[in-house]
Amino acid sequence: MRHVVTDADTAESVGSGDVPVLSTPRLIARMEAATVEAAAAFTATGQTTVGTAIRVEHLRATPVGGRVEVAAQAPTAPAGRRLTFLVRAVDGSGALVATGEIDRAIVDRGRFLAATAGPEAGR
């Protein structure tokens, strides 16, 4: 997944810092989106995945206008309901911007949504 950094993606804009470079929260969101796409191969009708853990090192700054390519490498098979993806981001020069792992769990979509709609969901 390729992305060009805009002013809306910066640490200044999202409140995670005061510099005009790609923010870690936006970078992680792009990485998560890549895992959602890759997880589709592991879900059956009525299933989806939800994020459960993120372990990412943001190693290099990317300025506004810079390009970032994000990739998620899927596991060969789930560990029960758990999927652990290797994620990485590189910039337009090929330099490593970030690397890490993101975990997702395979869930029944209907049961998951029903569980979040109960009276305890907002607490």
Side-chain angles (χ1 to χ4, degrees):
M1 301 175 82
R2 184 172 290 158
H3 177 69
V4 176
V5 179
T6 68
D7 288 328
D9 298 316
T10 65
E12 285 177 318
S13 179
V14 303
S16 66
D18 63 1
V19 289
V21 297
L22 176 61
S23 70
T24 302
R26 288 290 171 107
L27 175 60
I28 289 172
R30 299 276 179 210
M31 292 175 137
E32 268 204 294
T35 67
V36 169
E37 191 175 291
F42 297 95
T43 57
T45 302
Q47 292 182 322
T48 191
T49 62
V50 294
T52 60
I54 298 169
R55 295 169 300 283
V56 171
E57 289 185 83
H58 192 168
L59 305 167
R60 182 180 178 92
T62 308
V64 171
R67 189 180 80 224
V68 175
E69 183 82 26
V70 174
Q73 180 183 342
T76 56
R81 297 181 318 123
R82 190 173 127 189
L83 300 165
T84 297
F85 296 86
L86 300 178
V87 291
R88 63 186 276 121
V90 296
D91 66 16
S93 71
L96 186 62
V97 172
T99 187
E101 294 179 332
I102 295 179
D103 296 337
R104 301 190 70 76
I106 300 169
V107 298
D108 178 276
R109 183 180 187 72
R111 280 195 299 249
F112 180 83
L113 291 174
T116 64
E120 297 292 318
R123 292 188 186 180

